[in-house]
Amino acid sequence: MASGGQQFPPQTQKRQPGKEHVMEPTPQAVRHDYKAANKLQGKVALVTGGDSGIGRAVCYCFAMEGATVAFTFVKSHEDKDAEDTLQMLREIKKGADAKDPIAIPADLGFEDNCRKVVEEVAGTYGRIDILVNNAAKQYTKTCITDITEEQLERVFRTNIFSYFLTTKHAVKPMKEGSSIINTTSVNAYKGNPMLLDYTATKGAVVGFTRGLALQLAEKGIRVNGVAPGPVWTPLIPASMSDEMVANFGKEVPLGHAGQPHEIAPSYVFLACCQDSSYITGQVIHPNGGTVVNG
């Protein structure tokens, strides 16, 4: 784990989505001293972008808490990471209520694919209790004039269209007590000049979370968000230069980037009715100490 003044070795990946299994060091999805308490026993969770990074850590914690987990990944680019996550989930499946996990290849930037994913999960397990919208894409650009229309559309399709469209279909099989959790970012609150289009999408996720929470309150479905700070995930080497990777996360008060397992418990808290039944329309900020006042 990067801590104090420790740096990540300089590294880049040529394309997105990034691959977790080739990163050095490998992001830490598992915390071996994690104390599970059956908080999600009998629940069915769908996690988009669950093959690696924060998504993998969320899948792990949900399975440890007794949930049945389905997740999406990008076919032909994330197959190895998806299989590794599936194997991890199979090994920790807990309780008679937990069914075998599934991994679904999908480009969630388009509505038909979102609908098919939701139908497969609901058809396989008979329900969806928790939806985690987590898939993301980012590119570093120094000036707005360098951002093409094609890039802008791709980033928005992945980072906000997919959230809107997956949720549109997932709310149909959801019942009172269900939970929707959207991954936003500290950048939505403090801005980031190198990630302008990404930052714009994450601001949209905050607005989407607040508005949807109001819309679904009468149905008893809670909607919240998590806004991580710098976290060591495949997005980083796949979108940043060697120098940026080597210094990644050093700017926060704690002095280092977080690991995925440090972010995932926030999702458990928001998914568990016993812990957060009176919380909706809110965002949790596991960001290494950056004060956002938002």
Side-chain angles (χ1 to χ4, degrees), residues 87-102:
Q87 184 58 36
M88 176 185 71
L89 296 177
R90 292 183 184 120
E91 291 173 359
I92 64 174
K93 189 181 73 170
K94 293 192 172 186
D97 293 333
K99 308 296 191 300
D100 288 333
I102 57 174

Side-chain angles (χ1 to χ4, degrees), residues 96-279:
D97 293 333
K99 308 296 191 300
D100 288 333
I102 57 174
I104 307 171
D107 180 350
L108 297 177
F110 301 90
E111 181 167 7
D112 196 46
N113 297 337
C114 297
R115 177 185 58 79
K116 289 177 180 177
V117 166
V118 169
E119 288 178 350
E120 180 171 347
V121 176
T124 300
Y125 302 124
R127 58 195 293 180
I128 296 176
D129 302 293
I130 304 160
L131 170 63
V132 175
N133 288 307
N134 174 72
K137 184 182 291 289
Q138 69 179 28
Y139 301 92
T140 54
K141 299 290 183 181
T142 58
C143 182
I144 189 172
T145 59
D146 296 326
I147 299 174
T148 65
E149 183 177 0
E150 180 183 12
Q151 176 184 310
L152 187 67
E153 180 178 357
R154 184 67 262 182
V155 171
F156 268 77
R157 282 196 175 278
T158 300
N159 295 9
I160 181 62
F161 281 28
S162 74
Y163 288 31
F164 198 107
L165 297 171
T166 302
T167 302
K168 172 183 175 179
H169 294 280
V171 293
K172 297 172 185 176
M174 283 184 159
K175 298 179 180 179
E176 183 176 355
S178 295
S179 176
I180 297 169
I181 308 167
N182 299 317
T183 302
T184 179
S185 168
V186 66
N187 292 312
Y189 295 86
K190 69 180 185 64
N192 189 318
M194 301 290 287
L195 298 170
L196 187 58
D197 48 354
Y198 173 85
T199 298
T201 64
K202 292 305 182 178
V205 171
V206 174
F208 173 64
T209 298
R210 291 171 174 170
L212 187 64
L214 296 174
Q215 186 179 107
L216 297 181
E218 64 180 18
K219 298 180 182 296
I221 299 173
R222 297 180 300 109
V223 186
N224 293 289
V226 178
V231 183
W232 185 234
T233 74
L235 263 184
I236 305 313
S239 65
M240 296 184 178
S241 67
D242 284 356
E243 182 181 359
M244 293 172 71
V245 169
N247 291 286
F248 180 65
K250 293 171 67 176
E251 75 280 4
V252 302
L254 289 183
H256 62 89
Q259 289 289 341
H261 70 66
E262 296 178 285
I263 312 302
S266 295
Y267 293 80
V268 174
F269 170 73
L270 292 173
C272 176
C273 285
Q274 293 90 332
D275 288 348
S276 58
S277 61
Y278 201 52
I279 298 177

Side-chain angles (χ1 to χ4, degrees), residues 6-28:
Q6 185 176 353
Q7 295 185 167
F8 295 109
Q11 58 197 281
T12 58
Q13 297 184 26
K14 298 300 184 183
R15 62 177 301 172
Q16 294 191 45
K19 295 176 172 59
E20 181 158 315
H21 64 276
V22 301
M23 292 174 66
E24 176 58 38
T26 303
Q28 298 175 10

